[in-house]
């Protein structure tokens, strides 16, 4: 029996080696890439169709070309042998015998609830127990299990529609909220646009009235200045004339002097001043409402913003953290730091100091111009010791590879076609909804969204591999 089990274990190991990394099933028509990795022919071709831009190996991320794929007939033959060995090993493992007497198990002991052989039946242990032929016992228990199966299937039928109805109701509610937001903001945009046009039009009317009034004033001042000059010349001439000639039209001269003494109107009328003052008051009221709206919106966002600090106890020995825990870079060598259960030993990773088990949160960070980084979130039980597979270990992150290719760390990785290179990234975490969303913080364009289900504490996650790269977390 032990030998049969050992054969099964060895066969399972062989079958694991003959498994396609994409479909996780036995290789079918395997092909080998130029980087010496093997995949099912159909799997790698489908992967190439779905991938946009430069193709990279799903395992090592090196650039690959479909035209370089070659059939691996030797591997195909090995897979067939592994499958046959698995069938034979499983068949032998099923031939179970009594461990004590090496006899076939033909009876079932009701008291001990296990199969026994004929020798066991005559032993002191089972002599007084109720036994039955193993086939009869199996049939009886199958009927009991069948009854339980029917009950469970009925119960499942009750719960599934109800769960779907509840989910559908929540989806309808979120869709209504989405439509409400779109409608309200569209109305707000229209309101602001209309009032912007109205206020600018009113300013234009005021500008025209002020300019008209100023031009009229300048004209009147010019005319009066000219008249004053003429009268001054005339008075100077008259004062030098003889008395008889001086008095001939002195009345007309005095009359013109009196008219010139009349005050000139102000350049801006009180009515125009009042119109400008009223406009300023109305404009200040509108600006106040907008400022209040912006403050309320910012206050709501500030409730979700968190101050992330890097945890030095988790930092890999190749990472250098700043004293304030806001910056991390790849050092030139290994630092002399004490090992502890929280520290990443083989992966250049570090976690945030604070984790989350509920609520909505976001933080922003700067990745600069470097390559070889990954940012996102990780579960508390993420693997700390030994090699770390970013795509399989409870990490939800985006990464920039050495070949300047952005990927989301799904399995297999999802290639990202971005319109612009993000330097500043915002990460949103919604614990209850199981959502992790990445944005370009400068344009707020969405980069990628993970949808999952969280069952433990989640921490901000950071990974660096390229010299010269750094990550800065904003306060």
């Amino acid at each position: 029996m032990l030998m049969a089990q050992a054969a099964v274990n060895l066969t399972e190991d062989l079958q694991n080696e003959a498994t396609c990394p994409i479909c996780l099933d036995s290789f079918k028509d395997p092909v080998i890439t130029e980087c010496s990795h093997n995949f099912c022919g159909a799997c790698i071709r489908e992967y190439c169709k779905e991938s946009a831009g430069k193709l990279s190996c799903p395992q090592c991320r090196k650039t690959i070309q479909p035209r370089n794929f070659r059939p691996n007939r030797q591997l195909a033959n090995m897979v067939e042998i592994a499958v046959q060995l698995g069938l034979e090993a499983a068949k032998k493992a099923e031939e179970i015998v009594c461990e004590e007497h090496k006899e076939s198990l033909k009876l079932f002991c009701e008291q001990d609830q296990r199969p026994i052989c004929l020798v066991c039946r005559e032993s002191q242990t089972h002599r007084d127990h109720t036994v039955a032929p193993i086939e009869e016992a199996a049939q009886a228990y199958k009927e009991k299990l069948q009854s339980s199966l029917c009950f469970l299937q009925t119960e499942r039928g009750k719960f599934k529609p109800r769960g779907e109805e509840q989910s559908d109701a929540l989806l309808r509610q979120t869709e209504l909220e989405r439509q409400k937001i779109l409608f309200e903001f569209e109305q707000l945009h229209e309101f602001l646009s209309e009032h912007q046009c109205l206020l600018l039009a009113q300013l234009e009317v005021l500008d025209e009235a002020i300019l008209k009034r100023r031009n009229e004033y300048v004209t009147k001042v010019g005319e009066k200045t000219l008249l004053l000059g003429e009268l001054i010349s005339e008075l100077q001439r008259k004062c030098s004339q003889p008395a008889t000639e001086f008095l001939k039209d002195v009345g007309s001269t005095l009359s013109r002097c009196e008219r010139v003494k009349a005050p000139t109107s102000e350049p801006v009328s009180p009515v125009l001043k009042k119109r400008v003052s009223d406009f300023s008051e109305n404009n200040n009221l509108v600006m106040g409402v907008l400022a209040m709206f912006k403050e309320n919106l910012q206050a709501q966002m500030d409730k979700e913003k968190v101050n992330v600090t890097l945890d030095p106890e988790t930092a890999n020995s190749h990472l250098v953290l700043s004293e304030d825990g806001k910056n991390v870079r790849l050092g030139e060598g290994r630092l002399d730091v004490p090992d502890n259960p929280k520290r990443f030993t083989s992966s250049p990773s570090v976690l945030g100091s604070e984790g989350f088990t509920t609520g909505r949160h976001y933080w922003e960070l700067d990745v600069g111009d470097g390559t070889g980084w990954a940012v996102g979130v990780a579960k508390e039980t993420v693997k700390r010791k030994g090699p770390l597979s970013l795509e399989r270990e409870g990490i939800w992150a985006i990464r920039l590879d050495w070949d300047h290719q952005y990927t989301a760390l799904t399995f297999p990785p999802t290639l990202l076609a971005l319109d612009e290179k993000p330097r500043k990234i915002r990460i949103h975490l919604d614990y209850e909804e199981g959502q992790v969303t990445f944005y370009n913080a400068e344009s707020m364009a969405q980069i990628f969204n993970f949808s999952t289900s969280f069952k433990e504490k989640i921490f901000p996650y950071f990974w660096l591999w390229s010299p010269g790269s750094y990550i800065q977390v904003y306060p």
Side-chain angles (χ1 to χ4, degrees):
M1 181 177 179
L2 294 176
M3 293 181 63
Q5 186 61 41
V8 172
N9 293 337
L10 290 174
T11 304
E12 287 180 353
D13 293 339
L14 180 60
Q15 288 176 330
N16 290 335
E17 292 298 323
T19 299
C20 172
I22 296 178
C23 66
L24 303 181
D25 200 354
S26 298
F27 285 113
K28 297 179 181 63
D29 300 324
V31 297
I32 187 170
T33 64
E34 55 262 51
C35 57
S36 301
H37 288 116
N38 294 282
F39 306 93
C40 293
C43 292
I44 191 64
R45 284 192 291 272
E46 185 65 26
Y47 169 78
C48 292
K49 289 180 182 179
E50 296 178 354
S51 301
K54 186 184 295 185
L55 295 175
S56 56
C57 175
Q59 280 194 285
C60 67
R61 311 305 303 158
K62 291 184 178 179
T63 301
I64 58 175
Q65 296 292 337
R67 63 174 178 269
N68 296 331
F69 296 167
R70 296 289 182 272
N72 194 338
R73 295 183 177 84
Q74 187 176 8
L75 177 60
N77 294 335
M78 186 195 76
V79 172
E80 291 184 6
I81 295 172
V83 172
Q84 292 299 324
L85 286 175
L87 294 175
E88 293 179 6
K91 183 176 181 181
K92 290 182 178 180
E94 290 179 355
E95 297 176 358
I96 303 174
V97 296
C98 176
E99 294 182 1
E100 183 179 355
H101 305 110
K102 309 304 179 186
E103 296 287 338
S104 299
L105 301 174
K106 296 185 177 181
L107 301 173
F108 182 78
C109 177
E110 293 287 351
Q111 278 77 3
D112 293 337
Q113 290 285 291
R114 68 181 182 88
I116 60 174
C117 67
L118 294 175
V119 179
C120 292
R121 176 69 179 88
E122 299 302 323
S123 67
Q124 187 66 33
T125 304
H126 298 279
R127 185 174 300 170
D128 298 329
H129 292 176
T130 302
V131 298
I134 196 165
E135 293 298 333
E136 292 183 7
Q139 182 62 34
Y141 279 95
K142 281 183 181 179
E143 292 176 359
K144 293 180 181 179
L145 291 179
Q146 187 66 35
S147 175
S148 298
L149 176 63
C150 293
F151 173 78
L152 294 176
Q153 288 176 336
T154 302
E155 289 298 305
R156 184 181 64 179
K158 294 178 181 179
F159 285 115
K160 186 176 180 180
R162 186 171 63 184
E164 291 178 351
E165 289 175 1
Q166 293 175 348
S167 299
D168 290 342
L170 289 176
L171 288 174
R172 286 193 296 270
Q173 182 177 349
T174 56
E175 180 60 26
L176 288 175
E177 293 298 325
R178 182 180 295 105
Q179 295 301 324
K180 185 189 298 183
I181 290 173
L182 293 174
F183 176 77
E184 292 297 333
F185 271 85
E186 183 178 355
Q187 294 291 102
L188 180 59
H189 291 160
E190 292 180 1
F191 173 80
L192 294 176
S193 179
E194 290 176 0
H195 277 70
Q196 179 186 24
C197 294
L198 176 62
L199 293 174
L200 292 177
Q202 291 176 354
L203 282 177
E204 187 173 348
V205 171
L206 289 173
D207 287 344
E208 292 177 356
I210 293 171
L211 290 173
K212 180 181 178 182
R213 186 73 177 183
R214 186 181 69 174
N215 292 336
E216 292 174 354
Y217 175 77
V218 170
T219 300
K220 289 181 179 180
V221 169
E223 292 174 353
K224 192 166 186 177
T225 302
L226 181 61
L227 180 58
L228 288 172
E230 293 175 352
L231 284 173
I232 290 172
S233 298
E234 182 179 348
L235 290 177
Q236 289 175 345
R237 187 177 65 255
K238 271 192 170 296
C239 290
S240 62
Q241 292 176 346
T244 303
E245 187 176 353
F246 171 77
L247 294 172
K248 279 184 179 181
D249 56 355
V250 68
S252 175
T253 301
L254 290 173
S255 177
R256 281 185 290 156
C257 287
E258 291 299 326
R259 288 200 301 271
V260 169
K261 291 180 182 180
T264 305
S265 60
E266 296 182 4
V268 179
S269 68
V271 174
L272 194 55
K273 289 182 179 179
K274 183 67 165 57
R275 289 175 61 187
V276 174
S277 176
D278 291 344
F279 177 84
S280 297
E281 290 182 4
N282 292 335
N283 191 41
N284 289 337
L285 180 61
V286 174
M287 294 300 108
V289 172
L290 290 179
M292 186 181 301
F293 175 78
K294 289 167 63 177
E295 289 177 2
N296 291 338
L297 186 60
Q298 187 63 46
Q300 181 61 34
M301 295 181 64
D302 289 343
K303 291 180 181 179
E304 299 177 1
K305 187 175 182 180
V306 292
N307 186 10
V308 172
T309 303
L310 305 177
D311 185 358
E313 292 189 357
T314 67
N316 178 268
S317 58
H318 287 90
L319 298 180
V320 180
L321 274 61
S322 62
E323 291 185 3
D324 62 359
K326 293 296 182 181
N327 290 270
V328 58
R329 61 180 176 85
L330 193 65
E332 297 180 355
R334 182 185 294 272
L335 300 177
D336 184 16
V337 292
D339 191 16
N340 64 73
K342 296 171 60 177
R343 191 178 304 282
F344 291 92
T345 56
S346 299
S347 171
S349 303
V350 60
L351 298 179
S353 297
E354 181 183 2
F356 310 101
T357 56
T358 184
R360 299 172 60 182
H361 314 278
Y362 82 89
W363 57 95
E364 295 181 347
L365 50 92
D366 189 339
V367 293
D369 295 318
T371 57
W373 54 258
V375 294
V377 300
K379 63 183 182 180
E380 186 173 23
T381 57
V382 64
K383 186 177 180 181
R384 311 293 178 98
K385 311 300 179 184
L388 177 64
S389 173
L390 299 187
E391 299 89 346
R392 295 173 177 258
E393 299 290 346
I395 296 173
W396 298 267
I398 60 173
R399 176 174 63 188
L400 177 59
D401 296 331
W402 302 273
D403 56 359
H404 300 280
Q405 176 63 60
Y406 292 93
T407 56
L409 297 181
T410 56
F411 183 75
T414 301
L415 298 178
L416 302 176
L418 305 182
D419 295 332
E420 55 183 341
K421 179 180 179 180
R423 287 179 56 92
K424 187 176 181 182
I425 297 174
R426 177 179 290 190
I427 303 175
H428 277 256
L429 168 67
D430 189 331
Y431 190 94
E432 281 77 13
E433 295 297 327
Q435 301 288 326
V436 184
T437 310
F438 298 83
Y439 297 92
N440 183 332
E442 295 176 326
S443 64
M444 287 311 294
Q446 181 172 311
I447 298 174
F448 192 76
N449 172 260
F450 288 92
S451 182
T452 183
S453 176
F454 299 124
K455 298 180 180 178
E456 58 182 277
K457 185 176 286 190
I458 299 298
F459 288 82
Y461 174 80
F462 310 88
W463 178 90
L464 279 177
W465 187 251
S466 174
S469 296
Y470 72 89
I471 297 175
Q472 175 184 355
V473 184
Y474 290 104

